[in-house]
Amino acid sequence: MKKEDKLGIPETRQHARKRKQKRVRNWIIGILAVVCAIAAGVGLYAAHLYKTAEQAANKAYDSENAVKTTYGEFNGKKPFAVMLLGTDTGALDRTEKRGNTDTIIVVVVNPKKKNYTMISIPRDTMADMVGDDSNDVQKINAAYSIGGAKMAMQTVSNLLNIPVKYYALVNMGGLMKLVDYVGGIYVTPPLTFTYSGFPFKKGVRQHLNGQAALAYSRMRYDDPQGDYGRQKRQREVITKLVQKLATADSLTNFSKIANNLSSNVKTNLNFQALKSILANYSDCTSSSDSDYLHGYSAYVGDAAYQIAPTSELQRISNKIRKLLGLKTATVSNRETELNSLNETAGFKFGSGETQNYTIYDPGTTADSVKSGKTSSKSSSKSSSQASSSTTAYSTSSSTADYSGSTNYDTTYSYSYNYNLKLPTSKKL
């Protein structure tokens, strides 16, 4: 976090865009990369590489957030989920031990379909920080910096009403090295742009080294899909990297890959669990699907947030629970409570305008909102100030595909405008 942010001094978007070393929105390969690296080592170079993989996994193991696994949990018949986190540390001169997780992806591995599904949660999504007893909300990327992996898992679990037991985290310093260690990756850009000196041309397959891959995953202001477009490119790179790690070619630098993972990855899956995953789920890395949680722009006080409507929270919850073989259940939490109260006050999801969103005190009723006799933790902005948002959402003006699956059916479509100034912000 910048010093001026800690002091509460606002930073304009124009100033932020001039900073060459802007906070990177990382994407990660997390535990899937560990699994693929182990798979390559055990299969072809047995004893030596197996030991190397074991040492790397043990070094990356987070015993503080250890979870007891049940018998048969990774038997190759049951699906399982891992929350992947990417932190803004380890590169660009960042030395913080615990940064914001600007990338949050829930990965569900499905042995019946022999694939894995990645579901992104945007960094600016409003969420109750579970575990701080404040009933206050922050942008969800702050959960890890405030309360570590435990708070991040609990916050995502509560937001979507899904079980989140396992996580894997990687920083961007390790990310760049890992791409280089596997000999780079190939991507096909969905649009033409130049970022950090690296040119990308729409529809033209090109090879990326670590720095180029990082640049490819960073850009969002020139993407007509904004942050959602960036998420899609991040998921593309994850898929390509996992595929590359699963090949025998990666064995050339296996020791470097393992050491890089152990130094830059943290996970609460121990080596025994990883071995079971290797033995029973290795064929699930050959195919993938993707989705994301969609929110709408709104101001909480003077800070810009993404607010996910209750119907969208329920859609994503249903999807993940079904993938895990669980019955669907109603999402009911602080976020759905606030959504209901704000809609009572006149907030309209999908209105095409950026509105003010109020954080009402716990226990506030719809009747008190109607009568105006309420208290809240956020002040409203004038409608003229709120209209200067960088992102305007529409329900009819775009046909862009935000899903990585050809059979994904969504009722949402959006349009974006990035020519206006960002409001000042004092919050995370």
Side-chain angles (χ1 to χ4, degrees):
M1 181 181 291
K2 290 288 182 181
K3 184 177 294 185
E4 56 264 34
D5 293 333
K6 294 181 179 179
L7 296 175
I9 300 175
E11 183 182 49
T12 64
R13 178 189 175 193
Q14 184 177 12
H15 176 70
R17 293 189 66 182
K18 288 182 179 181
R19 288 188 288 108
K20 294 183 179 180
Q21 295 184 334
K22 184 172 177 60
R23 174 168 295 167
V24 175
R25 174 72 184 274
N26 320 304
W27 39 260
I28 67 174
I29 52 87
I31 209 63
L32 293 175
V34 178
V35 172
C36 291
I38 294 174
V42 174
L44 299 178
Y45 286 89
H48 171 67
L49 294 185
Y50 180 89
K51 189 65 177 179
T52 300
E54 182 179 21
Q55 292 173 345
N58 288 339
K59 186 177 179 180
Y61 181 56
D62 176 10
S63 59
E64 292 184 6
N65 290 289
V67 178
K68 185 177 180 180
T69 59
T70 60
Y71 178 76
E73 187 164 355
F74 300 115
N75 60 6
K77 298 179 181 179
K78 300 177 182 178
F80 69 92
V82 178
M83 184 177 70
L84 305 183
L85 302 172
T87 61
D88 50 6
T89 60
L92 300 183
D93 298 322
R94 298 187 183 278
T95 58
E96 304 97 323
K97 291 184 178 180
R98 187 188 288 176
N100 288 344
T101 51
D102 283 353
T103 293
I104 304 172
I105 302 176
V106 177
V107 177
V108 182
V109 180
N110 192 317
K112 290 184 178 180
K113 294 184 178 181
K114 294 185 178 181
N115 73 350
Y116 61 96
T117 299
M118 297 181 290
I119 299 178
S120 300
I121 302 176
R123 51 164 283 176
D124 293 336
T125 300
M126 182 197 75
D128 178 27
M129 300 289 103
V130 178
D132 66 355
D133 299 323
S134 68
N135 287 312
D136 197 7
V137 299
Q138 299 276 2
K139 294 180 180 180
I140 199 168
N141 70 335
Y144 181 77
S145 63
I146 296 172
K150 182 178 180 180
M151 179 176 283
M153 287 188 288
Q154 290 178 336
T155 296
V156 171
S157 177
N158 183 69
L159 177 70
L160 298 173
N161 191 20
I162 59 172
V164 180
K165 295 174 59 178
Y166 306 111
Y167 86 95
L169 176 145
V170 71
N171 64 52
M172 62 187 177
L175 173 68
M176 291 187 293
K177 294 178 181 178
L178 189 58
V179 173
D180 286 332
Y181 289 158
V182 301
I185 59 173
Y186 284 92
V187 299
T188 303
L191 72 164
T192 298
F193 65 95
T194 298
Y195 195 84
S196 295
F198 293 96
F200 304 95
K201 189 173 182 179
K202 179 179 180 180
V204 177
R205 184 172 180 265
Q206 62 189 95
H207 182 268
L208 307 182
N209 62 13
Q211 289 185 325
L214 193 60
Y216 183 69
S217 69
R218 290 179 66 186
M219 190 278 291
R220 65 167 172 160
Y221 291 121
D222 294 328
D223 192 318
Q225 297 179 27
D227 199 37
Y228 295 103
R230 178 164 60 175
Q231 293 169 38
K232 191 172 182 179
R233 280 179 275 116
Q234 291 167 355
R235 293 193 298 266
E236 177 189 7
V237 175
I238 292 172
T239 301
K240 299 295 184 181
L241 190 51
V242 168
Q243 291 172 350
K244 194 69 177 288
L245 282 163
T247 66
D249 293 339
S250 294
L251 289 174
T252 303
N253 289 311
F254 181 79
S255 294
K256 290 183 178 180
I257 291 172
N259 290 331
N260 178 69
L261 288 169
S262 65
S263 300
N264 295 288
V265 171
K266 283 296 179 184
T267 178
N268 63 344
L269 278 166
N270 60 31
F271 186 63
Q272 294 300 318
L274 293 177
K275 286 197 299 181
S276 296
I277 293 172
L278 161 66
N280 301 315
Y281 296 89
S282 59
D283 57 352
C284 293
T285 62
S286 60
S287 176
S288 66
D289 187 13
S290 64
D291 201 344
Y292 70 101
L293 176 71
H294 175 71
Y296 291 89
S297 285
Y299 288 107
V300 175
D302 59 357
Y305 277 73
Q306 289 289 296
I307 311 295
T310 298
S311 59
E312 177 68 351
L313 292 172
Q314 190 67 59
R315 182 184 75 84
I316 293 297
S317 176
N318 290 348
K319 181 166 187 173
I320 294 176
R321 292 181 71 89
K322 287 180 179 178
L323 287 170
L324 289 172
L326 302 174
K327 292 182 179 179
T328 58
T330 301
V331 177
S332 179
N333 50 31
R334 179 74 168 137
E335 292 81 6
T336 61
E337 174 192 10
L338 289 171
N339 283 348
S340 178
L341 294 174
N342 275 273
E343 288 182 298
T344 298
F347 188 94
K348 295 181 179 180
F349 288 102
S351 68
E353 298 179 357
T354 302
Q355 304 163 79
N356 302 314
Y357 191 94
T358 302
I359 307 304
Y360 294 97
D361 287 341
T364 301
T365 65
D367 288 339
S368 62
V369 171
K370 291 178 181 178
S371 65
K373 298 178 180 180
T374 63
S375 59
S376 65
K377 297 182 180 179
S378 64
S379 58
S380 297
K381 295 163 61 70
S382 66
S383 58
S384 61
Q385 191 174 9
S387 65
S388 63
S389 167
T390 62
T391 307
Y393 297 91
S394 168
T395 56
S396 62
S397 55
S398 174
T399 58
D401 176 20
Y402 297 93
S403 167
S405 172
T406 56
N407 60 0
Y408 173 66
D409 181 20
T410 178
T411 57
Y412 299 103
S413 55
Y414 319 99
S415 64
Y416 300 82
N417 179 3
Y418 288 91
N419 296 321
L420 302 175
K421 289 185 177 181
L422 268 175
T424 57
S425 173
K426 298 180 182 179
K427 294 189 177 183
L428 287 170

